[in-house]
Every structure is written in structure tokens, then in C-alpha cells.
């Protein structure tokens, strides 16, 4: 028997900040692919000098692991997007549970359409982790650049299947972190002037 999407299928641990050790409830959804603990730990080590007081955009929120981690570590504003109603309900429930209504905004919408049509505001950190089979990484990067969603020297987290790799990045972007964990390749792009060399 197929398990209903509305049933909880697991929990994801927040690994740092004020909510360290708390767990997010996540829905049963076949294509939900939370960013693993070790990848999140590496990512937020990269972002440590920037995350407190930052404005973050989580374009494909899914489980909410990246957005809630950012809020836990002191981001001033986190906007989380997802198009699946069941996923939105879980994100909203977790936001209430952790009393983060003042910090996190949750929007049910198609992320690429939103980037192309919504009134732009600037963000310091963008989490870009679309479904692996949707070919959205490149178009979202272009929309971020063209619609001026990026703050000065913003950072964009990218995640993709290792066998596919990253698409060409917009002019002026530099990939400054690049790692692989199993079948996943993940990295961090800087959108302002920076060294093109890959950092350790």
C-alpha cells in the first residue's frame, strides 16, 4: 500500500547554532532529498563568516534543512520556497514549533517562475539545490543574475549529480569551493569580484 504523503517519514537534525540538536519533521515524499549532515556541516563552515545577520534564499526548500540551519545560525531573514503543498505544511509546522515566524518566510510557488516574475530583493546567500532530474540549476543561476536578486558579493550554494556537474555559471561568478560526496557534487560560487582559484 502506498504511504500517504501527509504522514511523517523521518526527522532531520539541525547541526549547529541556537537549535543545534533539534529535529525537523519531514514528509513522506519520494523525490525529497535532504542535504546530508556532512555536506551541511561543510557548507556552513564555508559560510561561517557570513551567515549571522545575513539574508538567505532557499529556492527548493524541500525538508527545510538548509533554511532552518541558516536561521539557527543567526540569519536575519530566510525565505523558503517550495511548490508541493504537503512540503509547505511541514515547513510551516516546523517554523511554528521553533517559533521562527519573525525570521522565516515560506512561499508555495514554482521557484524559477518566482525568480523571473516576483519583485526582486537582494540576498547574501542563496541555496540552489533543485531536483536532480529537472535541469533547473543553470536557468535559476541566470535568473538570479538577470533579475538582481544578489547582494554585493553574494554566495550561491550549488548541488548537482556528480555525473552531470555544474552548468556554465553567469559572467562574473567564480566557483570558489567544489567538493564531492558520494554521487553528489556541491560547491559555492561567489558572484562579486574574487579569485577564480578553487579553495581547499
Amino acid at each position: 500500500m502506498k504511504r500517504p504523503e501527509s504522514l511523517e517519514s523521518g526527522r532531520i537534525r539541525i547541526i549547529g547554532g541556537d537549535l543545534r540538536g533539534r529535529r525537523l519533521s519531514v514528509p513522506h515524499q519520494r523525490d525529497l532529498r535532504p542535504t546530508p549532515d556532512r555536506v551541511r556541516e561543510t557548507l556552513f563552515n564555508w559560510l561561517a563568516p557570513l551567515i549571522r545577520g545575513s539574508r538567505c534564499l532557499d529556492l527548493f526548500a524541500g525538508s527545510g534543512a538548509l533554511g532552518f540551519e541558516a536561521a539557527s545560525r543567526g540569519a536575519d531573514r530566510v525565505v523558503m520556497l517550495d511548490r508541493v503543498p504537503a512540503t509547505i505544511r511541514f515547513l510551516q509546522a516546523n517554523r511554528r514549533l521553533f517559533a521562527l515566524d519573525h525570521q522565516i518566510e515560506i512561499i508555495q510557488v514554482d521557484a524559477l517562475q518566482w525568480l523571473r516574475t516576483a519583485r526582486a530583493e537582494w540576498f547574501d546567500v542563496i541555496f540552489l539545490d533543485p531536483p536532480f532530474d529537472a535541469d533547473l540549476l543553470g536557468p535559476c543561476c541566470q535568473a538570479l543574475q538577470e533579475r538582481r536578486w544578489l547582494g554585493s558579493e553574494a554566495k550561491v550554494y550549488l548541488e548537482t549529480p556528480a555525473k552531470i556537474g555544474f552548468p556554465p555559471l553567469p559572467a562574473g561568478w567564480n566557483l570558489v569551493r567544489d567538493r564531492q560526496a558520494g554521487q553528489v557534487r556541491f560547491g559555492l560560487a561567489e558572484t562579486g569580484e574574487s579569485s577564480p582559484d578553487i579553495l581547499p
Side-chain angles (χ1 to χ4, degrees), residues 13-42:
R13 182 175 61 93
I14 297 175
I15 58 178
D18 295 340
L19 299 174
R20 182 178 180 179
R22 302 289 296 274
R23 294 185 179 272
L24 302 170
S25 299
V26 298
H28 175 74
Q29 188 177 315
R30 186 173 56 183
D31 59 351
L32 196 66
R33 182 182 43 77
T35 301
D37 282 10
R38 63 174 176 153
V39 174
R40 276 188 289 133
E41 185 171 8
T42 298

Side-chain angles (χ1 to χ4, degrees), residues 104-115:
I104 293 177
E105 180 180 0
I106 297 168
I107 305 173
Q108 182 180 340
V109 70
D110 177 275
L112 183 55
Q113 181 181 8
W114 185 83
L115 286 176

Side-chain angles (χ1 to χ4, degrees), residues 128 137-138 157-169 175 177-179 184-189 198:
L128 189 43
L137 205 58
Y157 170 71
L158 307 167
E159 189 172 318
T160 186
K163 64 182 179 181
I164 296 176
F166 299 129
L169 299 178
L175 187 66
R177 307 279 188 174
D178 188 0
R179 296 279 182 86
V184 174
R185 185 177 176 190
F186 63 101
L188 194 68
I198 299 297

